[in-house]
């Protein structure tokens, strides 16, 4: 495979070869450090310093303009007793659960179907992936109209089959269901493709053996497919936890004009105000940068804790 | 269940055929559900608001697309904000591909003091959540005088840990050491090895990273919303959401037209890269 070194070296290249004492240390490696430095410089300026600064900020009171004032632990103490923050955690988890469990179920079903389909395989894959490619803003606008009270498609359907209309974007559960539906729609296909990748790693002999033993499709799924898929399931669950608990654009775009007090309010009764929306409201509406920083660390902690819990749950089930 | 041999065989053949039909029916249903919101947006973009308000809902295209298009262009600087989005997404994609692949090449194929430590740091950075950085980034940008300009969007995104990690994994497998050794003996210096040996081999990996970066930037909403304070100078996503906020209840036809048009560049990029991307995802996602 490797091209053999040519014997006739151009004289210019020969002249470039290092002559005399071997280069050492920084002089020998400088080009390597130079090549990786853009990322680390950017990270230093816009990653590390910001994270350090946000820790510093969380111990201060600051409106973004005036001078900072030492606040000690008082903002964290306030955070612990802040019922609005706690209710935003609850809202976030409810929306996450409403979106994630149907999504994982549907993605699994889709993946199994895709795996047994022989024809149009690539066409299906592209079609299922499409929702994930689109912008959340455009999709939130479209879903806003689908769930609209006066002329929304969902209500038109309900009316047609004889039910009462529901003020989807005006009631707590309507808001949560609308956001969750949007998220489920956007991520099911993506996760189905990931599951499909996992399904293809399951050895075919296992299925053959199961068929020989007379196992039906349902039995095969629960005895072979699901156990073999556990690592992929874990990956999907952790990724959807990290992204789902940080949802911002979906509720923000969907609900920004349903309430008058703030574009980050999460709709009537704050029913769709997720943790990150609350962070934005505290920081950029109230100009309370110090408390905003404390809220951000609170969110970070919730996400890490929740990811660990999810991880543990799936892993433990794997042990028996 | 256990009847005669022949009976069971016919039953099985019937069962597989029926299952095949059910399978494709299920898959097509899924595709319809995936596609429906797009279809619905197309329908709404071709009707006037009063038609949209009528019951029963319109399920077929109307004739008012040109009018909706005109009021869209009257209400927001559509092409201006689309140009901003293209500028940001295009520049960032180019910079990310260059910086990430260069750094990945070093991590994948060279040894130097401190490499392990720097790589562990990189993986750690990968996990830091975005909103922890939002306030300080805003403050830093304000101090630099970048708030309101595209620089605030481009510079922090110019290189990222995910891309370096992805390209490193790709390069480790794709670039053979013998090839590098040969070029070294030929006297190729570092940049030459990167440009002429490494890059041509990893083009599929670059395509994947490029498409994902472009999409991420095109669809980014939270940071441009904060950083672009001047309403005349925003990206397409922010302009769209302004349209929804101020006109959402009055002219849905226009808003839908905007939402739909904003998807077109993405769909073009996706159409170009779909085969590459889906193939790569299905193969390389789980390792």
């Amino acid at each position: 495979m490797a091209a053999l070194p040519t014997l006739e070296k151009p004289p210019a290249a020969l002249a470039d070869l290092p002559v005399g004492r071997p280069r050492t240390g920084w002089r020998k490696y400088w080009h390597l450090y130079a090549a990786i430095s853009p990322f680390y410089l950017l990270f230093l300026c816009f990653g590390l310093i910001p994270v350090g600064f946000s820790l510093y900020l969380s111990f201060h009171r600051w409106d973004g303009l005036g001078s900072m004032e030492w606040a000690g632990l008082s903002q964290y103490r306030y955070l612990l007793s802040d019922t609005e923050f706690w209710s935003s955690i609850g809202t976030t988890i409810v929306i996450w659960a409403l979106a994630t469990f149907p999504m994982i179920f549907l993605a699994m079903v889709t993946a199994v179907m895709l795996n047994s389909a022989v024809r149009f395989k690539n066409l299906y894959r592209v079609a299922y992936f499409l929702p994930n490619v689109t912008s959340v803003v455009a999709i939130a606008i479209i879903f806003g109209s689908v769930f609209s009270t006066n002329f929304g498609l969902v209500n038109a359907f309900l009316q047609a089959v004889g039910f009462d209309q529901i003020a989807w974007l005006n009631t707590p559960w309507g808001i949560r269901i609308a956001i969750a539906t949007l998220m489920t729609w956007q991520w099911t296909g993506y996760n189905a493709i990931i599951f499909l990748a996992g399904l293809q790693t399951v050895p075919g002999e296992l299925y053959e053996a199961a068929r020989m033993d007379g196992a039906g499709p349902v039995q095969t799924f629960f005895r072979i497919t699901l156990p073999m898929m556990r690592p992929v399931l874990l990956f999907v669950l952790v990724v959807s936890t990290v992204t789902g608990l940080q949802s911002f654009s979906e509720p923000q775009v969907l609900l920004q004009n349903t309430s008058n007090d703030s574009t980050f309010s999460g709709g009537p009764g704050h029913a769709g105000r997720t943790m990150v929306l609350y962070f934005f409201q505290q920081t950029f509406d109230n100009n309370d940068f110090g408390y905003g920083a404390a809220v951000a660390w609170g969110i970070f902690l919730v996400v890490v804790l929740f990811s660990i819990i999810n991880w543990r749950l799936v892993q433990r089930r794997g042990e028996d | 269940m256990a009847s005669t041999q022949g009976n069971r065989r016919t039953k099985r053949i019937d069962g597989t055929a029926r299952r095949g039909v059910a399978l494709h029916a299920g898959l097509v249903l899924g595709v319809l559900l995936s596609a429906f919101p797009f279809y619905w947006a197309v329908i709404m973009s071709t009707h006037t608001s009063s038609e949209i308000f009528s019951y029963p809902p319109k399920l077929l295209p109307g004739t008012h697309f040109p009018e909706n298009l005109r009021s869209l262009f009257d209400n927001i600087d559509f092409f201006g904000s689309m140009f901003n989005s293209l500028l940001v997404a295009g520049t960032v994609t180019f910079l990310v591909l260059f910086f990430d692949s260069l750094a990945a090449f070093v991590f994948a194929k060279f040894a130097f003091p401190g490499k392990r430590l720097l790589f562990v740091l990189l993986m750690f950075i990968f996990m830091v959540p975005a909103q922890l950085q939002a306030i300080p980034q805003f403050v830093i940008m304000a101090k630099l005088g970048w708030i309101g300009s595209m620089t605030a969007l481009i510079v922090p995104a110019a290189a990222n840990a995910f891309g370096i990690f992805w390209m490193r994994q790709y390069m480790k497998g794709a670039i053979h050491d013998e090839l590098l050794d040969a070029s070294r003996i030929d006297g190729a210096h570092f940049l030459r090895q990167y440009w002429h040996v490494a890059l041509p081999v990893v083009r599929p990996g670059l395509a994947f990273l490029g498409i994902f970066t472009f999409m991420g930037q095109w669809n980014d909403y939270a940071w441009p919303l904060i950083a672009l304070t001047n309403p005349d100078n925003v990206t397409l996503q922010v302009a769209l959401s302004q349209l929804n906020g101020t006109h959402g209840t009055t002219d849905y036809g226009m808003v839908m037209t905007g939402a739909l048009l904003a998807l077109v560049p993405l769909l073009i990029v996706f159409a170009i890269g779909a085969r590459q991307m889906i193939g790569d995802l299905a193969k390389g996602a789980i390792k």
Side-chain angles (χ1 to χ4, degrees), chain A residues 42-105:
Chain A
L42 284 177
F43 166 66
L44 191 70
C45 295
F46 302 108
L48 194 64
I49 292 175
V51 169
F53 187 60
S54 83
L55 190 65
Y56 175 80
L57 200 56
S58 67
F59 293 104
H60 291 79
R61 263 182 277 282
W62 193 40
D63 62 1
L65 295 168
S67 55
M68 287 188 205
E69 193 188 315
W70 175 254
L73 279 170
S74 68
Q75 311 209 91
Y76 285 102
R77 224 170 289 136
Y78 182 72
L79 186 71
L80 285 178
S81 64
D82 184 354
T83 50
E84 294 198 57
F85 178 65
W86 286 102
S87 87
S88 80
I89 297 178
T91 302
T92 312
I93 293 176
V94 165
I95 293 173
W96 171 84
L98 281 177
T100 303
F101 295 119
M103 180 193 78
I104 287 184
F105 174 75

Side-chain angles (χ1 to χ4, degrees), chain A residues 158-173:
Chain A
L158 286 180
Q159 212 178 328
V161 293
F163 284 100
D164 285 338
Q165 296 199 335
I166 297 172
W168 289 102
L169 299 181
N170 264 309
T171 57
W173 284 99

Side-chain angles (χ1 to χ4, degrees), chain A residues 175-187:
Chain A
I175 286 173
R176 290 163 191 164
I177 289 171
I179 298 171
T181 308
L182 194 166
M183 291 161 92
T184 306
W185 177 79
Q186 206 179 11
W187 288 95

